[in-house]
Amino acid sequence: MKSQVELNGMLDNVVKKKKGIWQQSLNWRTALLYLLPSLILFSVFLFYPMGKTLYLSFFLTDRQGEANVFVGLENYLYLLESEAFLKSIKATILFVLYTVPTGIIISLFLALLANEKLKGIGFFRTIFASTMGISVAASSVVWLFLFHPSVGFLNKIIASLGGQGVDWLLDPKWALLSVSITTIWMNIGFTFLIILGGIQNIDEHLYESAKIDGAGYFYQLRRITIPMLSPTLFFVITVSLINAFQTFGQVDILTQGGPSESTNLIVYSIYREAFVNYQFGTASAQSIFLFLCILVVTILQFKFGEKKVHYQ
Amino acid sequence: MKNVELFNVSKSYEKQKEVISDISVSIEPGEFFVLVGPSGCGKSTILRMIAGLEDITKGSLRIDGNEVNLLPPSKRDISMVFQNYALYPHLNVEENIVFGLDVKKVKKFERKERCMEVAEMLGLTDYLKRKPRHLSGGQRQRVALARAIVNQAPICLMDEPLSNLDAKLRAHMRSEIRQIQRKLKITMIYVTHDQVEAMTMGDRIMILNEGKIQQVGKPIDVYNAPANPFVAQFIGSPPMNLATANINLSKQELSIGGRLKLSIPSNDLQSYQEDTVTLGIRPEYLKIVNSINTKSTNNYLDVKVEHVEVLGNETIVSFQLDTYRWQAKWNGQWNVDVGDIVPIAINYESICLFNSASGHLIKGPTQVENHIIHEVTV
């Protein structure tokens, strides 16, 4: 004799078998419903443009951006031979090297300062993080005034010290550096805030234990703070790298890619190619190239950088 | 071995009320000294002041006779174990253990040797290359312990080191820590909120409440003669039963709620001035009256059982006495049901009496079941 429970169990199985694909996929369909809003948004603003860009990069286009003649990989080959594009890549790489390490080191330094328990430290935390709340356009305009060759604040300081003023944005030797300085200043707010958060997450007892062992400030910094901060630093480096590759606004306002294309960073170059020269094909090819660059850098970073990261 | 002395030590934050007031105690070299009290009583703060992690507002702290109030933690010859162990999560067990030696620039060879020695003592040899997150709670605890003793500091401070372990492991680590302390002859200052740890580990214990010393003494003395009702209820499980009792000097009688009357021996009469006192009695001294003969006297009470817990080797019975909830602990298994009426006897010899206003102990129990092993075996 089978007990009632067993019978019920068998009955359940029979019912389950009768459930069709429609019943079995209930969970999937529910999940899909929840995903739908983001799927729609991503499709409209991300997946479709990406596909379209890839498509256009294989064509010559008319002034409306409609695909005209299929040219295969010729757009890419043209780019690799184009001196302007190679110069733009060189400028971009230099720009990344100028801004990312410097920005992170300065932010780390400020975060360490702002982490000290002092009276009125909240004021400094706000000040240091404040550039996060300023738009790229507004801060670029401010820096435009600071960089002004004759009435700019920077040159006035140099003049008052008896030095020769610098053509910050007009001298091809200085222009990229000037844009980098502006960018570092603008990025500090975000980077500072994330690093400060990371520092404050470190267990205070670790430092107390180290203090009892007699470890000094720099020993603690080297053996506790930096290793414990590695996940935060990794995140910040990744985000800063991607941001630096995608810089556009400050270039547009400060230099328009000049002088003599010394600040023609890749995204600005794409913009000019597409909306000034109406070469949507080569612009798309540049975009795909940039996308691949960022992808490769990020993958490399995850592959080699993450090993040194300690997650709790 | 070094001694630690506190003279009138006080602590207050930003000129507010004192959180620690007027603590004076002398901790002997090689002693296992336990600070015990409910959470928020300031025991951890005292420990942190000894460690140098908190400033001392008033008073003086001396280690080996020298005032160390202003010395940094590293100059006080101490090691410390934290409640959450404070292991460095990015370093493996070995690196964690030798961290302090590395700071002190001990030679690599000696570092390794001392690490191995300590790891062996604590059974960590197989785990030296693991990260703390791959260790169980008990193993982490051992690493924290290893890190403290590898420094060979003469004084070791422990801040509730066992509170994150499960009950079984805790009981095991209690004896282990005690054995290590005896072996290395360290002066140990140990903070806990667990009275069992205090009773079982301490050479002497200090009971704290609201930043004030309640009592300092050997665990067994504290247990037998608690200085006030707070200590009486804090030490011992279940806690000491308390009730208000009236003294009638002319009748030489002590009565609880008018129901139970105990006669006071004439010798004791002169020590009682007040009419009402707080009476305390340990649960194990509340005996059940099982022969009719003893019922002839007055010193028993019929109580109605409200709750029974049989723990295998002992039985805890709860009942209501006036407004107080009392518990009795009897050896063995007792077949008692809720609602049963049970006669309970109270002996004058086994009660404590406290001044009902100040809380001071007036009379401790004179008859304690204190066995001495030599007398039993001889």
Side-chain angles (χ1 to χ4, degrees):
Chain A
M1 268 292 278
K2 279 181 173 142
S3 71
Q4 189 63 40
V5 179
E6 274 177 282
L7 282 175
N8 281 346
M10 285 170 67
L11 213 64
D12 277 351
N13 275 339
V14 173
V15 173
K16 260 181 207 154
K17 265 179 199 154
K18 273 188 181 164
K19 279 181 188 169
I21 281 282
W22 183 248
Q23 285 291 313
Q24 280 177 22
S25 65
L26 184 68
N27 273 342
W28 282 94
R29 283 180 289 119
T30 318
L32 204 66
L33 198 66
Y34 283 107
L35 286 175
L36 205 59
S38 15
L39 275 180
I40 292 175
L41 284 173
F42 274 125
S43 301
V44 171
F45 294 107
L46 209 75
F47 301 141
Y48 170 73
M50 228 173 121
K52 184 84 178 176
T53 308
L54 187 65
Y55 172 76
L56 282 177
S57 72
F58 297 122
F59 287 86
L60 284 181
T61 58
D62 60 17
R63 287 183 71 98
Q64 273 75 48
E66 297 298 326
N68 249 352
V69 188
F70 179 78
V71 291
L73 291 172
E74 232 162 88
N75 279 336
Y76 293 93
L77 293 173
Y78 165 76
L79 275 183
L80 293 177
E81 284 164 14
S82 150
E83 209 172 302
F85 180 68
L86 294 180
K87 205 174 172 191
S88 160
I89 288 183
K90 196 181 146 210
T92 310
I93 291 172
L94 277 179
F95 177 79
V96 168
L97 292 179
Y98 289 162
T99 55
V100 176
T102 331
I104 286 170
I105 287 168
I106 294 176
S107 306
L108 178 64
F109 175 71
L110 290 179
L112 288 171
L113 283 184
N115 190 43
E116 296 299 321
K117 289 180 189 68
L118 296 172
K119 257 191 185 155
I121 201 73
F123 173 74
F124 288 97
R125 285 181 190 167
T126 316
I127 291 291
F128 293 157
S130 62
T131 59
M132 219 176 78
I134 302 175
S135 78
V136 175
S139 48
S140 299
V141 169
V142 170
W143 278 93
L144 203 55
F145 284 115
L146 292 176
F147 283 137
H148 194 278
S150 52
V151 298
F153 185 64
L154 294 179
N155 274 357
K156 279 201 169 157
I157 291 179
I158 293 175
S160 71
L161 294 172
Q164 182 74 42
V166 177
D167 284 337
W168 294 101
L169 296 169
L170 303 174
D171 187 339
K173 279 194 233 122
W174 283 95
L176 189 63
L177 206 65
S178 309
V179 176
S180 300
I181 291 171
T182 313
T183 309
I184 291 168
W185 181 83
M186 286 184 333
N187 288 346
I188 277 176
F190 172 76
T191 321
F192 162 80
L193 208 65
I194 301 284
I195 294 180
L196 182 63
I199 292 179
Q200 292 188 332
N201 246 343
I202 301 174
D203 186 0
E204 193 59 35
H205 288 114
L206 298 184
Y207 295 109
E208 290 183 343
S209 182
K211 241 185 246 169
I212 287 174
D213 286 332
Y217 179 81
F218 288 101
Y219 191 91
Q220 289 179 26
L221 184 68
R222 183 165 61 84
R223 293 220 45 202
I224 303 175
T225 311
I226 302 289
M228 294 297 289
L229 210 54
S230 56
T232 315
L233 288 174
F234 182 74
F235 168 76
V236 160
I237 290 172
T238 311
V239 172
S240 303
L241 265 179
I242 295 175
N243 269 339
F245 273 113
Q246 297 183 340
T247 304
F248 173 77
Q250 53 270 50
V251 177
D252 190 39
I253 293 172
L254 290 174
T255 62
Q256 283 88 45
S260 66
E261 303 206 329
S262 63
T263 59
N264 192 16
L265 302 184
I266 189 159
V267 176
Y268 193 73
S269 152
I270 293 169
Y271 159 77
R272 278 223 305 217
E273 197 75 5
F275 301 107
V276 178
N277 302 338
Y278 300 108
Q279 299 287 334
F280 290 96
T282 41
S284 299
Q286 286 191 37
S287 306
I288 297 296
F289 185 84
L290 173 64
F291 169 71
L292 291 177
C293 281
I294 294 178
L295 190 69
V296 167
V297 168
T298 310
I299 288 173
L300 285 180
Q301 215 203 336
F302 267 85
K303 205 162 166 84
F304 297 109
E306 211 184 13
K307 278 185 193 151
K308 297 195 180 68
V309 170
H310 153 78
Y311 290 109
Q312 283 190 333
Chain B
M1 287 206 280
K2 288 193 173 179
N3 70 339
V4 177
E5 293 162 296
L6 285 80
F7 295 98
N8 310 99
V9 168
S10 301
K11 171 88 186 168
S12 54
Y13 289 104
E14 293 171 6
K15 289 167 192 159
Q16 299 285 304
K17 201 171 139 262
E18 285 181 339
V19 287
I20 303 287
S21 34
D22 208 20
I23 301 287
S24 295
V25 68
S26 171
I27 298 162
E28 303 299 324
E31 187 179 28
F32 200 116
F33 192 82
V34 179
L35 302 177
V36 61
S39 33
C41 70
K43 54 195 189 301
S44 286
T45 313
I46 294 178
L47 196 75
R48 291 169 59 83
M49 288 197 291
I50 297 174
L53 298 170
E54 300 268 356
D55 295 333
I56 296 170
T57 316
K58 256 191 283 179
S60 149
L61 169 69
R62 290 185 200 166
I63 294 178
D64 236 19
N66 306 315
E67 184 167 309
V68 295
N69 281 27
L70 299 173
L71 276 189
S74 54
K75 299 270 161 59
R76 297 189 183 193
D77 276 341
I78 51 160
S79 61
M80 185 160 174
V81 176
F82 292 86
Q83 183 174 7
N84 64 357
Y85 315 143
L87 300 179
Y88 304 111
H90 56 288
L91 302 179
N92 67 28
V93 170
E94 185 177 353
E95 291 164 328
N96 260 293
I97 293 175
V98 300
F99 188 91
L101 301 182
D102 188 63
V103 173
K104 294 192 182 76
K105 301 208 170 64
V106 173
K107 288 207 184 67
K108 204 167 184 187
F109 172 74
E110 194 192 338
R111 227 153 54 186
K112 184 99 187 163
E113 200 177 51
R114 273 161 77 173
C115 171
M116 289 313 288
E117 191 186 322
V118 173
E120 197 129 326
M121 192 193 298
L122 290 164
L124 287 168
T125 333
D126 297 339
Y127 309 108
L128 287 177
K129 294 295 169 216
R130 287 208 201 165
K131 292 275 169 71
R133 65 169 178 274
H134 295 131
L135 297 177
S136 69
Q139 289 162 345
R140 281 181 213 178
Q141 221 285 320
R142 276 161 207 271
V143 178
L145 215 57
R147 205 171 57 172
I149 58 183
V150 80
N151 288 334
Q152 303 175 341
I155 299 164
C156 182
L157 311 177
M158 293 199 176
D159 190 359
E160 308 212 14
L162 303 183
S163 57
N164 290 347
L165 302 181
D166 62 68
K168 207 171 167 183
L169 203 54
R170 203 180 303 165
H172 176 73
M173 288 308 288
R174 279 207 303 259
S175 63
E176 198 161 315
I177 291 177
R178 189 70 169 103
Q179 279 167 13
I180 289 171
Q181 183 265 341
R182 270 201 207 105
K183 195 166 147 194
L184 303 176
K185 301 187 174 67
I186 312 171
T187 306
M188 180 78 83
I189 305 175
Y190 187 102
V191 160
T192 180
H193 63 265
D194 183 354
Q195 57 94 16
V196 179
E197 276 174 33
M199 288 292 291
T200 52
M201 297 173 85
D203 287 323
R204 280 192 307 153
I205 63 180
M206 173 159 109
I207 296 101
L208 285 154
N209 189 32
E210 291 170 349
K212 294 187 182 71
I213 296 183
Q214 303 297 313
Q215 192 171 5
V216 182
K218 285 185 181 157
I220 204 67
D221 295 340
V222 172
Y223 184 84
N224 288 337
N228 56 43
F230 173 82
V231 177
Q233 292 225 296
F234 191 79
I235 298 290
S237 171
M240 184 182 271
N241 299 304
L242 294 179
T244 306
N246 296 310
I247 292 178
N248 190 329
L249 284 176
S250 54
K251 284 190 184 167
Q252 300 197 8
E253 241 176 22
L254 182 75
S255 65
I256 308 166
R259 288 166 68 192
L260 176 84
K261 292 192 171 61
L262 301 173
S263 57
I264 301 171
S266 352
N267 291 350
D268 281 6
L269 277 176
Q270 71 269 20
S271 50
Y272 305 128
Q273 269 96 46
E274 48 280 272
D275 292 340
T276 56
V277 288
T278 303
L279 174 143
I281 182 162
R282 292 274 171 207
E284 57 268 30
Y285 299 142
L286 287 171
K287 304 285 187 199
I288 188 159
V289 187
N290 43 13
S291 75
I292 305 296
N293 305 341
T294 44
K295 279 195 178 186
S296 56
T297 53
N298 242 347
N299 58 349
Y300 81 95
L301 268 172
D302 280 325
V303 295
K304 194 172 166 194
V305 176
E306 286 189 336
H307 185 65
V308 185
E309 288 173 351
V310 184
L311 302 172
N313 61 344
E314 60 193 26
T315 306
I316 295 170
V317 174
S318 312
F319 56 87
Q320 202 78 20
L321 185 85
D322 296 339
T323 52
Y324 307 98
R325 189 178 174 85
W326 277 29
Q327 288 174 307
K329 186 160 84 176
W330 302 327
N331 277 331
Q333 302 166 6
W334 292 77
N335 194 2
V336 187
D337 286 324
V338 172
D340 284 358
I341 304 291
V342 179
I344 300 266
I346 296 176
N347 273 326
Y348 176 80
E349 285 77 24
S350 50
I351 60 169
C352 294
L353 294 177
F354 301 99
N355 185 315
S356 53
S358 66
H360 290 309
L361 183 71
I362 307 168
K363 168 205 174 299
T366 46
Q367 186 192 42
V368 180
E369 287 176 34
N370 195 336
H371 307 289
I372 296 164
I373 194 144
H374 301 293
E375 288 176 3
V376 177
T377 46
V378 166

